[in-house]
Amino acid sequence: MTQPAAQAKPGASPIHEQIYARFRAMIEQGQLSPGQKVSSLRALATELGVARGTVQVAYDRLLGEGYLVARGPAGTFVSEHATPAQPARVTQAAVVARPPPTQDAPDHIIEVDGGTPAPFQMGLPALDEFPRKLWAGLMARQVRKAGSLTKPAPAGYMPLREALAAYLHRSRGIDAYAGQVFIVPAYTASLALTVDALGLAGESAWVEHPGYPPTAQTLKRLGLQVCDVCVDQHGIDVAFGRAHFPTARLAVVTPSHQSPTGVALPLQRRVELLDWASERDAWIVEDDYDGEYRYRGHPLPALKSMDSGGRVIYCGTLSKVLFPGLRLSYVVVAQNLVPHFEQACRRTAHGGCPELLQAAVAGFISEGHFSRHIKRMRTLYARRRALLAEALAPYAAEGFVVHLQDGGMHLLVDVRDDLDDVVLASLARAAGFAVHALTTWRNGAPGRRGLLLGFTNVRDREEAKRLVAELIRSFELQAG
């Protein structure tokens, strides 16, 4: 069914005029190249939250004036005769009607031509720096072993579990043996395994607000009541959770680098959270999604390392450290919970992770490549983080202010109050940038506005400046 047209802001030109003006400006400024395919009517209408007929009016005018050409079933393209003009300076942003907030998974990879991830993709490691030759050798070695072709063990490949246990003891202060480590295909599978093993369906769960959207979405699908607990400058507010949701029996947190604000949970809050879990017979899922990457001081110890009562379920990922196609994550539990998680693994629907990949990763870790890779990436990411922040600095006067946190793989850019971050992100994504709005991480609730930008694949200063300039231009709708 066609969506109703969104209402323009008072004093703004009609929506179809704004769409027309935006496309004309992008073509004249060279953001859309001659011969480049543009979005279909349906796709653009869905993206902007307007009626398909509204987009049709704009496209018809662009076709009539020669900016676009229609090629039947192949789609609509920028005319080969369209000549880019000198781009005008950005003067005003976010003048289109606001699309409805969405909660796209931040690690859903948006691709541009050739399958290359779009600029500013979050949760994506530096693909240009992955040691492909070394990895190919490890994979080839495992292919020659018949054991790598067998059906995977439900709880994971034991050499990988052993390697991870040793690594976590060294790097994150977690004291666990291999049997306490369980291999799963993704973070959402970690949540599903935990809820199943602990029998938490039907219970209430604290989630950070703002927080990683797939957490709340997954818990709801698993039958839990989600309770939004506010995040302040010190991370999740335990006192708020106690006061407003006293019956909850699960809390899902990102203590090393809160997702998305970047703050670290201080010692006092960690103690409060552990005390709450002990008193309430509750559980804490620690999502340590990028705890290895801290750029001031040493990486913080995991919350799990303080867990004397066995209340913390530690979740880590290899996909964000190595490459997303790996699809390997892991869960670490207290010794007394091992039988419950083993039974849940045998019941799980995912059927285990491919042993070939697990075996290659086990070798990567046990032979020391993993630690060296993380150390090298920490240095690289610190440099790329600084380059993106430097490129954004000139736009602080226009309302785009970066507040650097101590770690992570993305930047949070505050935007001034009169700009709508949901609209800005929508315009950026329409222009090919994998940008997210902070508001969508709060389920659309009022509060701080900002944009989330990954920096790990920004290779040099020139690229950073070019991408930021193009991003800022993508926010602009020129007058028709």
Side-chain angles (χ1 to χ4, degrees):
M1 180 180 295
T2 303
Q3 297 184 30
Q7 295 298 310
K9 294 181 179 180
S13 59
I15 301 297
H16 65 82
E17 287 279 354
Q18 297 177 40
I19 296 172
Y20 160 80
R22 170 166 170 71
F23 271 85
R24 195 181 78 171
M26 291 178 70
I27 293 170
E28 291 177 346
Q29 294 171 15
Q31 293 174 258
L32 289 175
S33 306
Q36 182 176 341
K37 187 175 181 179
V38 299
S39 301
S40 68
L41 294 174
R42 186 184 301 277
L44 185 58
T46 301
E47 178 73 19
L48 297 179
V50 300
R52 183 175 176 179
T54 301
V55 179
Q56 180 75 66
V57 171
Y59 272 30
D60 285 346
R61 184 173 174 185
L62 291 162
L63 289 164
E65 294 181 7
Y67 287 98
L68 300 180
V69 293
R71 296 178 182 167
T76 304
F77 297 76
V78 178
S79 172
E80 297 287 352
H81 303 292
T83 304
Q86 184 67 26
R89 177 158 180 83
V90 176
T91 57
Q92 183 181 354
V95 299
V96 297
R98 175 176 181 161
T102 59
Q103 288 188 321
D104 293 337
D107 51 2
H108 170 71
I109 297 176
I110 303 169
E111 294 183 347
V112 295
D113 292 343
T116 304
F120 307 129
Q121 175 72 54
M122 293 177 63
L124 189 68
L127 300 181
D128 61 319
E129 293 293 331
F130 182 73
R132 295 172 183 265
K133 185 176 180 179
L134 172 63
W135 178 257
L138 290 167
M139 288 289 288
R141 184 196 311 168
Q142 295 304 325
V143 167
R144 292 192 293 267
K145 296 181 179 180
S148 298
L149 305 180
T150 60
K151 183 177 180 180
Y157 182 60
M158 184 52 72
L160 176 56
R161 299 168 76 187
E162 293 170 346
L164 282 170
Y167 165 74
L168 292 171
H169 180 74
R170 295 191 308 269
S171 67
R172 311 298 289 130
I174 296 174
D175 187 12
Y177 70 95
Q180 294 171 247
V181 181
F182 296 85
I183 310 300
V184 293
Y187 164 65
T188 53
S190 301
L191 292 178
L193 178 64
T194 299
V195 169
D196 185 10
L198 301 179
L200 293 173
E203 299 285 357
S204 296
W206 292 359
V207 298
E208 297 169 326
H209 192 243
Y212 184 56
T215 295
Q217 295 166 359
T218 301
L219 292 176
K220 289 176 181 178
R221 286 198 300 268
L222 294 171
L224 282 80
Q225 178 68 40
V226 170
C227 307
D228 292 331
V229 178
C230 60
V231 169
D232 59 21
Q233 68 271 26
H234 302 298
I236 190 169
D237 188 339
V238 179
F240 180 95
R242 280 181 176 270
H244 292 82
F245 311 110
T247 63
R249 294 203 53 229
L250 177 68
V252 184
V253 296
T254 52
S256 293
H257 180 247
Q258 199 277 327
S259 178
T261 65
V263 299
L265 197 67
L267 177 61
Q268 182 58 40
R269 287 275 176 95
R270 294 179 181 224
V271 171
E272 291 175 7
L273 191 59
L274 291 168
D275 287 346
W276 164 79
S278 178
E279 295 168 12
R280 282 288 308 146
D281 188 28
W283 306 96
I284 302 167
V285 167
E286 177 180 12
D287 177 13
D288 197 25
Y289 66 104
D290 64 1
E292 293 88 355
Y293 299 124
R294 188 172 174 84
Y295 312 113
R296 284 182 283 210
H298 296 288
L300 297 174
L303 178 65
K304 179 67 176 173
S305 67
M306 301 174 58
D307 178 29
S308 59
R311 312 307 303 185
V312 177
I313 313 300
Y314 179 89
C315 297
T317 177
L318 295 163
S319 301
K320 285 184 172 62
V321 178
L322 298 179
F323 58 93
L326 194 60
R327 303 304 294 160
L328 288 178
S329 296
Y330 52 91
V331 180
V332 184
V333 305
Q335 187 170 352
N336 65 306
L337 297 178
V338 168
H340 301 282
F341 276 77
E342 288 178 338
Q343 292 172 17
C345 282
R346 288 192 286 269
R347 293 193 297 265
T348 188
H350 67 71
C353 301
E355 187 174 296
L356 177 61
L357 290 175
Q358 293 188 70
V361 175
F364 194 80
I365 297 174
S366 62
E367 295 174 19
H369 308 302
F370 189 69
S371 294
R372 287 192 292 272
H373 180 68
I374 288 176
K375 182 178 180 180
R376 192 164 66 92
M377 291 303 99
R378 191 178 296 133
T379 301
L380 177 72
Y381 291 169
R383 183 167 68 251
R384 293 184 172 185
R385 167 178 172 266
L387 290 175
L388 182 55
E390 177 186 292
L392 285 161
Y395 299 95
E398 297 184 32
F400 301 96
V401 181
V402 178
H403 294 287
L404 288 179
Q405 298 295 339
D406 291 342
M409 297 170 67
H410 71 267
L411 294 182
L412 173 57
V413 182
D414 285 341
V415 300
R416 67 177 188 260
D417 292 341
D418 63 320
L419 300 180
D420 190 322
D421 59 345
V422 176
V423 171
L424 292 175
S426 179
L427 293 172
R429 290 164 74 86
F433 295 99
V435 173
H436 289 263
L438 181 60
T439 295
T440 63
W441 292 49
R442 285 198 315 275
N443 306 317
R448 177 184 180 185
R449 295 180 177 185
L451 299 173
L452 303 169
L453 285 71
F455 57 76
T456 53
N457 285 279
V458 176
R459 291 169 294 184
D460 53 46
R461 179 172 282 103
E462 290 69 28
E463 182 178 59
K465 289 182 177 179
R466 176 180 60 81
L467 289 174
V468 168
E470 291 175 359
L471 175 66
I472 298 298
R473 282 200 299 271
S474 77
F475 297 153
E476 180 60 18
L477 279 175
Q478 303 292 337

